[in-house]
Amino acid sequence: MEEQLRTVANILKGSRIVVALTGAGISAESGIPTFRGKDGLWKKYRAEDLATPFAFQRNPKLVWEWYVWRMNIISKAKPNPAHVVLAEMEKEGILKAVITQNVDGLHFKAGSKNVIELHGNIWRIRCVDCNWKTVLNSPPIKIPPICERCGGLMRPDVVWFYESLPQDALNKAFKLAAQSDLMLVIGTSGVVQPAASLPLITKNHGGILVEINVADTPLTLVCHYSLRGKAGEILPRIYKYLKRKNNGNI
Ligand code: OAD
């Protein structure tokens, strides 16, 4: 493993455009539940009841209760060393952008600036009628919240199943994936499209893929390097080699 970490650090040093694609796994060590896997949210809850536009039409209060529960967890969560290392790498000009499927905002909290939120942000809400948007800093007391402009129902400004991704974010993500010569694929199960196809775009354009995950995923087969372990432990170890002048090779 140590040898692999050193190699990845060397490739990072020699890369022009490095991008990270992150999923729920990067926030697991911050105490935010992931969606799949043993204790994943989709084991306990049905996405059809909570994360589709039809579910919201049917029972907005139930959907909001679930989001308030998640907001309460997220509001207490702090960025972990994985978020922090990515923010440091951006500051130092090593990392160009983070493309995330997470709605928890922890990359921004850690200090990352160029973050593309493919699935929205849990703290932003929008009116289903007039599309007015606002940002919350704590979970709403009265649910469902009502639009100040038109009296319509406000919903979380996140992407649900059967919905398309924000066009601007998606365009940026595709462009970055095509440009990057190294993509770090961190804590994602790689089964939700279109995010899961971004690494393939990088690879098809000649870029290198480095997966950091506690388990194998469908993307493992296409990744050039697969580092098994927690993102909050692996990323600081790579960063340590990045900071070494001769990278410990001589
Ligand atoms: P998942 O919950 O599907 O996958 C989390 C991944 O993180 C798994 O591959 C785990 O093995 C890995 N993992 C867990 N803990 C880890 C750790 N400490 N370090 C590294 N890896 C770890 O999450 P996503 O792939 O992000 O979409 O899920 C994609 C989308 O599916 C979500 O954005 C959400 C969900 O339905 C919507 O709600 C639209």
Side-chain angles (χ1 to χ4, degrees):
M1 171 71 120
E2 219 50 41
E3 196 45 49
Q4 264 197 323
L5 296 175
R6 219 192 330 244
T7 306
V8 167
N10 271 331
I11 299 170
L12 263 163
K13 280 184 179 175
S15 300
R16 271 177 321 111
I17 300 182
V18 181
V19 168
L21 171 68
T22 66
I26 197 168
S27 295
E29 290 157 82
S30 295
I32 302 176
T34 60
F35 294 94
R36 294 169 187 82
K38 196 164 53 70
D39 300 318
L41 291 173
W42 297 148
K43 282 267 152 65
K44 284 182 232 132
Y45 304 98
R46 276 165 39 93
E48 293 82 1
D49 295 336
L50 301 166
T52 74
F54 320 111
F56 190 73
Q57 266 171 13
R58 227 176 12 242
N59 196 341
K61 190 154 179 282
L62 177 74
V63 171
W64 262 112
E65 276 166 1
W66 192 64
Y67 275 91
V68 166
W69 173 72
R70 287 181 60 202
M71 282 173 163
N72 275 316
I73 296 174
I74 288 170
S75 65
K76 289 185 201 94
K78 292 191 184 64
N80 67 56
H83 299 103
V84 173
V85 163
L86 293 183
E88 274 306 309
M89 283 170 60
E90 183 186 345
K91 228 176 277 164
E92 291 170 13
I94 303 165
L95 182 75
K96 177 149 175 149
V98 176
I99 303 168
T100 189
Q101 299 164 84
N102 300 345
V103 297
D104 57 33
L106 285 187
H107 286 298
F108 284 117
K109 241 185 181 175
S112 287
K113 300 270 185 282
N114 197 9
V115 182
I116 295 151
E117 294 182 316
L118 287 178
H119 293 167
N121 187 297
I122 200 166
W123 298 109
R124 209 169 47 229
I125 62 174
R126 71 176 154 89
C127 176
V128 293
D129 291 328
C130 74
N131 209 33
W132 180 67
K133 292 185 186 183
T134 189
V135 176
L136 303 175
N137 41 36
S138 57
I141 311 286
K142 269 188 86 175
I143 51 169
I146 300 300
C147 177
E148 286 173 30
R149 297 279 163 90
C150 77
L153 287 184
M154 298 293 287
R155 58 162 279 183
D157 194 15
V158 298
V159 176
W160 284 330
F161 290 98
Y162 308 107
E163 292 184 322
S164 45
L165 274 60
Q167 197 58 52
D168 184 45
L170 197 57
N171 290 344
K172 279 187 189 153
F174 276 128
K175 199 168 161 200
L176 277 165
Q179 287 173 338
S180 68
D181 42 12
L182 172 59
M183 181 181 275
L184 300 170
V185 183
I186 309 166
T188 178
S189 57
V191 294
V192 174
Q193 295 295 350
S197 64
L198 292 169
L200 302 177
I201 293 174
T202 298
K203 190 173 182 182
N204 287 343
H205 282 78
I208 296 200
L209 302 178
V210 175
E211 180 177 63
I212 301 173
N213 200 305
V214 290
D216 276 13
T217 75
L219 289 174
T220 304
L221 280 176
V222 295
C223 285
H224 300 87
Y225 298 90
S226 280
L227 306 174
R228 280 292 148 268
K230 293 182 176 178
E233 292 169 10
I234 301 266
L235 275 165
R237 286 168 71 190
I238 295 175
Y239 189 62
K240 189 186 74 185
Y241 283 118
L242 266 179
K243 303 299 283 179
R244 279 197 198 162
K245 267 217 169 66
N246 63 17
N247 214 2
N249 278 340
I250 303 165

